[in-house]
Amino acid sequence: MGTEGMDEASNMKVVLKHYISGSAQETDMNLTAGTIKLKAPLGSNALVVKNLFLSCDPDMIFKMTGHKREHCDPYTLGSPLTGYGVAKVLDSAHPDFAMDDLVWGITGWEEYSLISDTKNLIKIKNTDVPLSYYTGILGMPGLTAYVGFYELCAPKKGDYVFVSAACGAVGQLLGQFAKLHGCHVVGSAGSPDQVNLLKNKFGFNEAFNYKQEPDYNATLKRYCPEGIDIYFDNVGGKMLDAVLLNLRPHACIVMCGKTSQYHLEHPEGIQNLPSTVTKEARIRGYLAVNYYHLYPKFLEIILTLIKESKVVYVEDISDGLETAQKALVGIINGLNIGKQVVAVNCL
Amino acid sequence: MGTEGMDEASNMKVVLKHYISGSAQETDMNLTAGTIKLKAPLGSNALVVKNLFLSCDPDMIFKMTGHKREHCDPYTLGSPLTGYGVAKVLDSAHPDFAMDDLVWGITGWEEYSLISDTKNLIKIKNTDVPLSYYTGILGMPGLTAYVGFYELCAPKKGDYVFVSAACGAVGQLLGQFAKLHGCHVVGSAGSPDQVNLLKNKFGFNEAFNYKQEPDYNATLKRYCPEGIDIYFDNVGGKMLDAVLLNLRPHACIVMCGKTSQYHLEHPEGIQNLPSTVTKEARIRGYLAVNYYHLYPKFLEIILTLIKESKVVYVEDISDGLETAQKALVGIINGLNIGKQVVAVNCL
């Protein structure tokens, strides 16, 4: 009993105060103090972890709205947010995990977490890269880009590829895969700095700031005058509708996410789907979580590409859990330069 | 000169009076008298044909709106409507066609037509079936159903299939292909008589009259309680949006047409596309006209199925060009019992 008491630690957490309507604000969340027992309950299969890096992802904004949608339950008010993160195991009641193991997967926005659902938790074996990369290029966004590009859209050299939200973890990697494949790549992003990164760091042929474009159809005709063979849709809404008017024959639209729609109760209507008939286009939706079996193959490929400097990766690391609220809200406003991550603790 | 004069015949035509807004009316068209030279111009590659059967198709309504969309130019005011039909060659300046050949393809809504664009005109070799079938089950709608089912959606035995506008030429055949394949098939149509036909003639497992259903989502949950693996979309709009809420994992939506949208300048917005992500669904658009190379194979298969009574086909033949306006408008209101055809002349 005395020992258990000694294992209790203070635990700062980012909790949701109320469900949001409209855009997310920092003040929709609170940083609150709590405590946690650092022992995994015996016979529970659970882990207690120390969180190292937390990923800021657009679907977190949707979970803050309180709207229920399949595969996307709302956050519980007063509980810490959850999302992808990198963590170190402090105590394990699970046979596959041991103290000091490094893992990535779903964890809490707090200093320490008790993780009961270990099904999709992956042990980190390669530590000669920044650990934060496992929230992005080496984690779910990386797998998302890999599956979307290589498994779903049958890309060909010379294809015209357009990526929205191209500065995010998925987008920057998708664009680089497409360039490595010999495609012509255009990206959209939400700030001049992001556009600069796309053109000068990730090697996109063209990039534009969607916030300065009043008419996406005209914008796409300007930046993709030949039309679009492959579109990686990270935003949905009006951009998707404009893309549908600019498809080349047999185009493929890969549905990665709906950033522009996450805060809306009723998504914007897409009017131009009839173009899929006249252009004989395909639309493919997918969940990278169902392609975990490809993760080892993907990891081998991407680690090699990183080591050979054939892909680059840019992160925007916000230091300390006390900066997490600002960092999360920032991704919606395009304030991040590269993949937004929060560093919780030092190792 | 004298001979040419003798070759001129009177020629009744159905012409468009004005571009429509809202639903099409019989009074939007006129039956007018004209004349035609029954000789194909020398050196022209053209044919003069006597029209036998004309197909009433939903995209004709769109062409009456005057809105321009790719692959779908508006009709020219004062000129005869055009559409698929079966005709007999009276005179040919084209080396591949001769007098008395029977053909199907695009022709005019008139007694005789001069056909200059013979590219997609197909010579009819099998005449031991009703010639009107070449406007439907043996023509473009038949090829549309065949390609949509067998080439695009990878159907499996036991799949749950839903077909809208199921009483049309495409729909009735799709449903029967799906039944032959061991699928569970539900269809929607626009009248009690059409629903009766689907259940009792074409062997659909279930069918409903969409006009009596105020909430398509609830309707689909009632008729397709297991969800939908394959949806053949002949209508678009609200029905497509409701289907997106009722997909099974890895569902396939085949986009055949947009009947409900043809008269609208701006199609209804589709809000539920994010379901394609959570259900990992595919959407495939196609134009059967780009699958002409499969027509000989299709024709062999379908003629056998017809002869063995493994598929049935129901036509609603309206007699005489003077009934054409009423027949065309009727398909939008679900007045046809089976594929709507207009018989122009006797052979």
Side-chain angles (χ1 to χ4, degrees):
Chain A
M1 299 282 277
T3 323
E4 278 184 19
M6 284 170 63
D7 287 334
E8 195 162 275
S10 74
N11 192 22
M12 296 301 292
K13 339 172 163 223
V14 177
V15 304
L16 185 62
K17 275 157 71 175
H18 45 244
Y19 291 118
I20 64 171
S21 63
S23 289
Q25 310 290 334
E26 291 179 46
T27 50
D28 296 323
M29 297 160 270
N30 258 340
L31 185 68
T32 63
T35 59
I36 185 170
K37 287 189 178 164
L38 299 182
K39 277 279 174 200
L42 282 174
S44 69
N45 267 346
L47 310 177
V48 175
V49 301
K50 181 180 182 184
N51 292 309
L52 306 177
F53 295 101
L54 300 174
S55 177
C56 295
D57 289 309
D59 67 339
M60 299 176 69
I61 305 295
F62 180 76
K63 294 180 180 184
M64 292 171 70
T65 63
H67 306 147
K68 204 174 151 33
R69 208 175 280 166
E70 231 171 337
H71 296 274
C72 205
D73 284 332
Y75 287 132
T76 306
L77 293 183
S79 290
L81 307 192
T82 56
Y84 282 97
V86 174
K88 186 178 179 178
V89 176
L90 297 185
D91 190 47
S92 171
H94 192 294
D96 296 346
F97 297 92
M99 194 172 73
D100 291 335
D101 276 353
L102 292 163
V103 294
W104 73 264
I106 297 291
T107 189
W109 275 41
E110 55 194 341
E111 292 178 285
Y112 303 97
S113 293
L114 174 71
I115 301 182
S116 303
D117 181 5
T118 55
K119 189 165 50 80
N120 289 332
L121 212 57
I122 293 185
K123 215 185 287 192
I124 294 172
K125 289 167 188 159
N126 299 80
T127 55
D128 55 351
V129 283
L131 285 180
S132 54
Y133 279 23
Y134 288 93
T135 65
I137 189 170
L138 301 179
M140 189 54 73
L143 184 63
T144 301
Y146 176 78
V147 169
F149 190 72
Y150 291 108
E151 297 288 320
L152 298 184
C153 71
K156 295 183 302 299
K157 190 179 168 184
D159 273 353
Y160 292 86
V161 175
F162 174 55
V163 186
S164 54
C167 237
V170 177
Q172 49 178 280
L173 192 52
L174 266 171
Q176 292 180 84
F177 282 152
K179 284 301 296 178
L180 286 171
H181 206 73
C183 302
H184 185 274
V185 184
V186 176
S188 66
S191 75
D193 286 340
Q194 291 185 347
V195 167
N196 179 49
L197 211 55
L198 292 175
K199 291 205 278 195
N200 299 318
K201 183 88 181 174
F202 302 130
F204 282 51
N205 297 82
E206 286 288 352
F208 64 86
N209 179 354
Y210 73 90
K211 290 181 182 166
Q212 292 178 338
E213 301 292 337
D215 176 351
Y216 293 164
N217 182 19
T219 307
L220 291 175
K221 286 188 168 39
R222 205 161 70 243
Y223 285 97
C224 310
E226 311 286 339
I228 296 166
D229 291 298
I230 297 176
Y231 171 48
F232 287 95
D233 182 27
N234 288 308
V235 301
K238 290 187 173 62
M239 189 64 84
L240 173 58
D241 232 357
V243 166
L244 284 162
L245 296 177
N246 288 278
L247 297 178
R248 286 163 65 89
H250 304 107
C252 181
I253 297 176
V254 179
M255 307 282 265
C256 302
K258 299 274 149 286
T259 312
S260 78
Q261 307 296 298
Y262 281 124
H263 65 288
L264 304 173
E265 184 163 14
H266 299 292
E268 290 170 338
I270 302 298
Q271 298 200 315
N272 300 320
L273 272 183
S275 295
T276 59
V277 177
T278 53
K279 294 300 185 181
E280 300 196 283
R282 289 173 295 149
I283 299 179
R284 293 290 306 262
Y286 71 113
L287 295 167
V289 74
N290 291 339
Y291 290 83
Y292 264 142
H293 58 284
L294 296 179
Y295 182 71
K297 181 182 166 197
F298 156 71
L299 192 63
E300 197 183 320
I301 291 170
I302 194 71
L303 283 170
T304 305
L305 288 172
I306 291 172
K307 280 165 196 165
E308 293 176 352
S309 300
K310 286 191 179 151
V311 303
V312 293
Y313 184 58
V314 176
E315 294 181 299
D316 191 335
I317 299 188
S318 183
D319 196 28
L321 198 61
E322 65 278 10
T323 66
Q325 291 154 248
K326 188 177 177 185
L328 178 58
V329 171
I331 63 168
I332 295 302
N333 301 317
L335 301 182
N336 54 310
I337 310 294
K339 162 70 181 174
Q340 184 67 59
V341 181
V342 176
V344 184
N345 286 310
C346 302
L347 261 174
Chain B
M1 298 282 278
T3 323
E4 276 183 21
M6 284 171 63
D7 287 336
E8 194 162 275
S10 74
N11 192 22
M12 295 301 291
K13 341 175 160 221
V14 177
V15 303
L16 186 61
K17 274 158 69 175
H18 46 244
Y19 291 119
I20 64 172
S21 62
S23 290
Q25 311 289 334
E26 291 179 47
T27 50
D28 297 322
M29 296 160 272
N30 256 341
L31 186 67
T32 62
T35 59
I36 186 170
K37 288 189 179 163
L38 297 182
K39 277 278 177 200
L42 281 175
S44 69
N45 266 346
L47 310 177
V48 174
V49 301
K50 180 179 183 182
N51 292 309
L52 305 177
F53 296 101
L54 300 174
S55 177
C56 296
D57 289 309
D59 66 340
M60 299 175 69
I61 304 296
F62 180 75
K63 295 180 181 184
M64 291 171 71
T65 63
H67 306 147
K68 200 172 155 36
R69 207 175 280 167
E70 233 169 337
H71 296 274
C72 206
D73 284 332
Y75 286 133
T76 305
L77 293 182
S79 288
L81 307 191
T82 57
Y84 282 97
V86 174
K88 187 178 179 180
V89 177
L90 297 186
D91 189 47
S92 170
H94 193 293
D96 296 347
F97 297 93
M99 195 172 73
D100 290 336
D101 276 353
L102 292 162
V103 294
W104 73 264
I106 297 291
T107 189
W109 275 41
E110 54 195 341
E111 292 177 285
Y112 303 97
S113 294
L114 174 70
I115 301 182
S116 303
D117 181 4
T118 55
K119 189 165 52 84
N120 288 331
L121 211 58
I122 293 185
K123 214 185 287 192
I124 294 173
K125 289 168 187 160
N126 299 82
T127 55
D128 55 349
V129 283
L131 284 181
S132 54
Y133 278 23
Y134 287 93
T135 65
I137 189 170
L138 300 180
M140 190 54 71
L143 183 63
T144 301
Y146 175 80
V147 169
F149 190 71
Y150 291 108
E151 297 287 319
L152 297 185
C153 72
K156 295 183 304 296
K157 190 179 171 186
D159 273 354
Y160 293 87
V161 175
F162 173 55
V163 186
S164 54
C167 237
V170 177
Q172 52 177 278
L173 191 52
L174 266 171
Q176 292 180 85
F177 281 151
K179 286 300 296 177
L180 286 171
H181 206 73
C183 302
H184 186 274
V185 184
V186 176
S188 66
S191 75
D193 285 340
Q194 290 185 346
V195 168
N196 178 49
L197 210 55
L198 291 176
K199 291 206 280 197
N200 299 318
K201 183 88 181 175
F202 302 129
F204 282 51
N205 297 83
E206 286 288 351
F208 63 87
N209 179 354
Y210 74 90
K211 290 181 183 167
Q212 292 177 341
E213 302 291 338
D215 176 352
Y216 293 163
N217 182 19
T219 306
L220 291 175
K221 287 189 167 40
R222 203 161 73 244
Y223 285 96
C224 310
E226 312 285 340
I228 296 165
D229 290 299
I230 296 174
Y231 171 47
F232 287 95
D233 182 26
N234 289 308
V235 300
K238 290 186 172 63
M239 188 64 85
L240 172 58
D241 231 358
V243 166
L244 284 162
L245 296 176
N246 288 278
L247 297 177
R248 288 164 65 89
H250 305 108
C252 183
I253 296 176
V254 178
M255 307 283 266
C256 303
K258 299 273 149 286
T259 312
S260 77
Q261 307 295 299
Y262 282 123
H263 65 291
L264 303 174
E265 185 165 13
H266 299 291
E268 289 171 338
I270 301 299
Q271 299 200 314
N272 299 321
L273 272 183
S275 295
T276 59
V277 177
T278 54
K279 296 300 186 181
E280 300 195 282
R282 288 172 296 149
I283 298 179
R284 293 290 306 261
Y286 71 113
L287 295 167
V289 74
N290 290 340
Y291 290 83
Y292 265 143
H293 57 285
L294 296 179
Y295 182 71
K297 182 181 166 196
F298 155 71
L299 192 64
E300 195 183 319
I301 292 169
I302 195 70
L303 284 170
T304 304
L305 288 171
I306 291 171
K307 279 166 195 165
E308 293 175 351
S309 299
K310 286 189 179 152
V311 302
V312 294
Y313 184 60
V314 176
E315 294 180 299
D316 191 334
I317 299 188
S318 184
D319 197 28
L321 199 61
E322 66 279 10
T323 67
Q325 293 155 246
K326 187 176 178 185
L328 178 58
V329 171
I331 63 168
I332 296 302
N333 302 317
L335 300 182
N336 53 311
I337 309 295
K339 163 69 181 173
Q340 184 68 60
V341 181
V342 176
V344 184
N345 287 310
C346 304
L347 261 175

